[in-house]
Amino acid sequence: FSNTAIFAISNILSKLMLSLLLPLYTRTLTAEMYGRAELITTIGDLFIPICSFAIQDALFRYGMENGKRQDEVLKNSILVLSMATGLLFIVSIILKNYEAIGSLYIIFWFVSCVSMWRAAFSLYSKAIGRTVVFAADSVFYNGLLGIFNIIFLLVFKFGLNGYFLAMVCAGICSIVYLAASTNSMGIMFHTKYNSALMREMLQYSIPLIFNSISWGLTHVVDKVMLTDLCGSDATGLYSVASKIPSLLSLATGIFTQAWTLSVIRDYQTDRDKTFYNNIFNVTHIGVCIGVMGILLFNNNLFLAVLGEDFSDSVRYVPILLIGSVFLTYSNFYSPVYSAMKKSRQIMYSSVGGGIVNIILNGVLIPRIGIAGACLATTSSYAFIAIYRMIDC
């Protein structure tokens, strides 16, 4: 609960800062610019785990093992990330011919690399028990992001280039802070390379590449198919409807961060296994209370906030809320796999859920439209949760 409190404060402050940036973006960037920026960052998020072999996940898992191996884990991860930096440059050259990226291919490379390195050092700080450093960095990064955006967008009026330049500058400052706080650079130069550990880390991380791709496709396929089959208006209603259950996912996600640390640290100890049952019960009760609370306000408060143009979206919230419940359950079991180093099981469940999502979207959207996309998403989350419950 102490870790949950730390992560909650960090997340709330970070989300508040990001929400304050939205009016700045809408007043300094056109809709085309903002859409292009979102697409570039999304493409980068897709290629980062591929080029880095998802080594960040191994850095977090193996970094939580006390002893000298922590330094070797960081050394091995930095070597892989250095290679990934070169691979991302090759990817950016190839994507130069893609119209949405075009002349921004160098910016795409910088943004992707900074995001990749920052995620790695951030996870390492959490893995070695520096949760306050991890939480403080989130607030530090988002605060700097706001300052740099004001400078580059309002003062210098750099437009889209300023948007990305702010991300890069804030990211570099964050990396320097994290590296200094965890003595990462000193470890890098004074630790030997461990080839056996490298093989073990890659065996753990490579299956998680497919896990990342599956989750990415799950969040994209329904919107693409809705746009093609029902029009952009349907996609807009679906996107707005999904924002309301995301409030629940945000709250449970904060708890999951703390739960992950407890599971991995305590898995090899003699802790009474009823601990896991108790925490699941707390999670289950909490998520059900959250669902009921949202449903109380769904047809009144949210309807008033969303306005008449999006009034139909509240009809789909209950279906998506059920999906959020199953998503919470699946996230509860994911750290158990990490503790056992069973990354293939994470991959199998996520890929299976992605296949269920794609098939049901193709079957249901042509027949019942937006409700079909909601049912497909909920069913995919249910598949993942039930698979992990039975398997664990």
Side-chain angles (χ1 to χ4, degrees):
F1 280 105
S2 61
N3 283 335
T4 301
I6 293 171
F7 294 140
I9 294 170
S10 172
N11 273 270
I12 290 169
L13 290 175
S14 298
K15 295 292 182 184
L16 179 62
M17 292 175 184
L18 289 175
S19 64
L20 293 175
L21 283 176
L22 188 59
L24 174 63
Y25 293 149
T26 57
R27 284 165 174 76
T28 56
L29 300 174
T30 65
E32 188 274 334
M33 285 180 179
Y34 191 69
R36 191 178 181 188
E38 287 286 299
L39 182 61
I40 288 175
T41 53
T42 301
I43 294 173
D45 291 340
L46 182 64
F47 277 102
I48 286 172
I50 297 173
C51 293
S52 65
F53 301 106
I55 198 67
Q56 300 93 325
D57 293 303
L59 171 62
F60 174 67
R61 173 60 188 90
Y62 286 82
M64 292 192 68
E65 297 179 353
N66 295 325
K68 186 179 179 181
R69 287 225 317 178
Q70 282 184 328
D71 296 350
E72 296 173 346
V73 166
L74 180 63
K75 171 83 171 188
N76 287 357
S77 300
I78 289 177
L79 292 175
V80 174
L81 291 172
S82 300
M83 181 192 68
T85 301
L87 291 176
L88 280 171
F89 184 74
I90 296 172
V91 169
S92 68
I93 295 294
I94 296 172
L95 291 177
K96 180 182 179 181
N97 299 316
Y98 180 42
E99 184 179 354
I101 294 180
S103 59
L104 296 175
Y105 72 100
I106 292 295
I107 290 179
F108 166 82
W109 177 61
F110 267 110
V111 170
S112 299
C113 289
V114 169
S115 176
M116 176 181 68
W117 282 91
R118 178 175 176 266
F121 284 118
S122 179
L123 287 171
Y124 180 70
S125 68
K126 186 163 66 169
I128 62 175
R130 305 285 184 88
T131 51
V132 175
V133 171
F134 172 84
D137 170 70
S138 179
V139 178
F140 176 63
Y141 169 77
N142 286 292
L144 285 177
L145 187 63
I147 293 171
F148 284 123
N149 268 301
I150 292 171
I151 294 172
F152 296 136
L153 293 179
L154 278 183
V155 179
F156 293 108
K157 302 184 185 303
F158 285 163
L160 189 58
N161 289 333
Y163 175 88
F164 286 120
L165 189 58
M167 290 179 65
V168 171
C169 291
I172 291 174
C173 291
S174 171
I175 291 170
V176 171
Y177 167 73
L178 289 167
S181 300
T182 57
N183 191 30
S184 298
M185 290 300 100
I187 292 172
M188 172 64 186
F189 292 112
H190 297 96
T191 305
K192 294 182 179 180
Y193 166 68
N194 187 329
S195 59
L197 177 61
M198 177 68 87
R199 285 193 297 271
E200 188 178 346
M201 290 175 66
L202 289 174
Q203 286 173 357
Y204 174 83
S205 69
I206 288 176
L208 296 176
I209 297 174
F210 301 97
N211 177 59
S212 299
I213 294 173
S214 296
W215 279 111
L217 290 176
T218 298
H219 291 101
V220 170
V221 167
D222 45 11
K223 294 178 182 178
V224 172
M225 295 185 72
L226 265 177
T227 302
D228 291 340
L229 296 172
C230 302
S232 56
D233 290 347
T235 306
L237 289 173
Y238 174 72
S239 298
V240 170
S242 64
K243 296 293 183 184
I244 297 174
S246 69
L247 297 173
L248 181 65
S249 299
L250 174 63
T252 56
I254 294 170
F255 176 75
T256 300
Q257 291 185 64
W259 168 239
T260 301
L261 295 178
S262 295
V263 173
I264 296 176
R265 283 187 181 140
D266 295 343
Y267 186 72
Q268 299 295 341
T269 67
D270 294 329
R271 181 190 283 276
D272 186 352
K273 295 301 183 270
T274 57
F275 168 71
Y276 299 95
N277 292 331
N278 293 336
I279 298 298
F280 181 82
N281 289 335
V282 170
T283 304
H284 169 69
I285 293 169
V287 74
C288 287
I289 292 173
V291 167
M292 290 186 287
I294 291 174
L295 286 174
L296 280 173
F297 297 105
N298 187 49
N299 288 344
N300 296 302
L301 178 62
F302 291 134
L303 192 59
V305 171
L306 296 175
E308 292 185 7
D309 291 342
F310 293 95
S311 59
D312 284 346
S313 62
V314 297
R315 297 167 53 195
Y316 309 107
V317 170
I319 306 173
L320 293 171
L321 277 173
I322 297 172
S324 295
V325 173
F326 282 116
L327 179 61
T328 300
Y329 295 161
S330 65
N331 288 338
F332 178 88
Y333 284 97
S334 183
V336 179
Y337 284 126
S338 297
M340 296 186 292
K341 299 179 182 177
K342 300 285 188 180
S343 58
R344 290 182 182 273
Q345 268 61 34
I346 299 177
M347 178 190 70
Y348 294 150
S349 58
S350 299
V351 171
I355 293 172
V356 168
N357 186 56
I358 293 171
I359 292 173
L360 290 182
N361 271 311
V363 173
L364 297 176
I365 289 178
R367 290 170 171 77
I368 53 176
I370 300 173
C374 296
L375 286 169
T377 299
T378 297
S379 299
S380 67
Y381 291 156
F383 175 90
I384 295 171
I386 294 169
Y387 178 101
R388 291 179 179 180
M389 286 178 178
I390 295 172
D391 192 45
C392 285

